[in-house]
Amino acid sequence: MPREHYSELLALIAVARERSFTRAAAQLGMSQSMLSHTIREMEARLGVRLLTRTTRSVSVTEAGERLLDVAAPRLKSIEAELRSIAELRDVAAGTIRITATDHAIDTVLWPKISGILAEYPQIKVEMSADYALVDIVQGRYDFGVRLGDELAKDISAVRIGPDMRAAIVGAPAYFASHPMPTQPQDLVNHDCINLRLPTRGNLYSWELKKGQREMSVRVEGRLVFNGIYQILNAALSGNGLAYVPEDLVQPHLASGALLPVLKPWWRKFPGLHLFYSRQRGASRAMRVLIDALEYKKS
């Protein structure tokens, strides 16, 4: 089979999986116009329509489904075999793709990964900041990072961080015109800064716990972000109360730039875990990262 035919199949698989030329082009590292041209050439050569395009969506035709049913598993098998052969080398090498939140990347992943790049010059790392609960197999990631209580049962995982608490904080400027909450029910009367979850599209409820009492509070406010660093900055500016990781706000609490709110109710969560597909297993390069990132209690 000519080399360009492999490229066409990979392009078709990407578009079919993403249901979007824009997302597929970004994943393949090519322009959207080049991707469209590749698919059109493939359809013209075969004489059948493989994709149905509208202004809002892309779907696979019956002919496209038939081709994908045969080609996709075989290409996946070839990729797996190439990876296994590459593992026969004496050195760890290859590109490792990781999806995690920006907070996990900044505080856990990058501080340790940066230290091993010099030791393993043939390892490349791509980190994607995302708050969605991404399917790492479908997204073609080697690793994902989630809290311990968010892990599925059919994956392999290793703890990479200690337990963490979610803190509720506000700036002195905010409390100059608002009373300090004394119980969780008071939060409904405050301007709270919300986090929009991309996976479901809804706002994240603030999870609280005191002793054996647990509650989930749906707060209201004028500001909504899809990242905790923006939420932190808004709280520092006095624009409302924030629900963010304690380690992120600890310097601001120490300096007095932020004040703790309902501290007895701050909930502790299982630490961050690095997870990967159990079926695919871990390559030599992946094992290097696992060993470097594994959390060890001091």
Side-chain angles (χ1 to χ4, degrees), residues 98 108-110 112-113 143 158-161 274 288-296:
I98 309 173
V108 178
L109 298 181
W110 176 239
K112 292 185 177 180
I113 289 176
F143 291 119
V158 59
R159 178 187 278 262
I160 60 174
L274 187 76
V288 167
L289 263 68
I290 291 172
D291 293 341
L293 291 167
E294 185 173 6
Y295 174 68
K296 300 176 179 63

Side-chain angles (χ1 to χ4, degrees), residues 54-248:
T54 68
T55 56
R56 294 186 177 182
S57 65
V58 179
S59 59
V60 183
T61 65
E62 182 179 353
E65 288 284 4
R66 182 175 175 180
L67 178 58
L68 288 170
D69 287 344
V70 174
R74 294 181 181 179
L75 287 177
K76 187 175 181 180
S77 177
I78 292 172
E79 288 181 351
E81 189 61 30
L82 289 172
R83 283 196 302 269
S84 66
I85 291 174
E87 285 302 299
L88 298 177
R89 294 183 297 180
D90 293 332
V91 295
T95 299
I96 304 299
R97 301 184 68 239
I98 309 173
T99 175
T101 65
D102 46 8
H103 176 244
I105 292 174
D106 288 355
T107 61
V108 178
L109 298 181
W110 176 239
K112 292 185 177 180
I113 289 176
S114 63
I116 68 171
L117 292 180
E119 185 177 354
Y120 297 92
Q122 295 190 53
I123 291 180
K124 299 179 181 179
V125 180
E126 177 184 340
M127 288 181 275
S128 177
D130 199 334
Y131 283 75
L133 298 178
V134 175
D135 183 326
I136 60 172
V137 175
Q138 184 176 357
R140 300 174 68 85
Y141 289 102
D142 298 288
F143 291 119
V145 176
R146 292 181 190 168
L147 292 172
D149 60 352
E150 296 175 337
L151 296 172
K153 295 181 180 180
D154 59 343
I155 60 174
S156 297
V158 59
R159 178 187 278 262
I160 60 174
D163 288 346
M164 55 188 296
R165 285 202 303 176
I168 304 174
V169 296
Y174 175 81
F175 290 114
S177 56
H178 298 82
M180 176 68 73
T182 59
Q183 55 186 348
Q185 291 81 359
D186 295 339
L187 293 173
V188 298
N189 298 318
H190 281 265
D191 206 352
C192 297
I193 307 165
N194 269 300
L195 172 68
R196 175 80 65 186
L197 293 174
T199 304
R200 303 181 185 89
N202 61 329
L203 300 179
Y204 181 74
S205 296
W206 292 11
E207 299 178 70
L208 310 177
K209 184 176 182 179
K210 181 181 180 183
Q212 299 301 313
R213 296 180 60 193
E214 298 183 33
M215 63 176 61
S216 180
V217 182
R218 293 187 177 275
V219 297
E220 299 290 338
R222 294 176 294 163
L223 290 173
V224 178
F225 295 98
N226 65 352
I228 58 173
Y229 286 98
Q230 294 74 35
I231 291 175
L232 172 61
N233 290 334
L236 286 167
S237 300
N239 286 286
L241 302 182
Y243 182 91
V244 288
E246 182 182 11
D247 67 292
L248 185 64

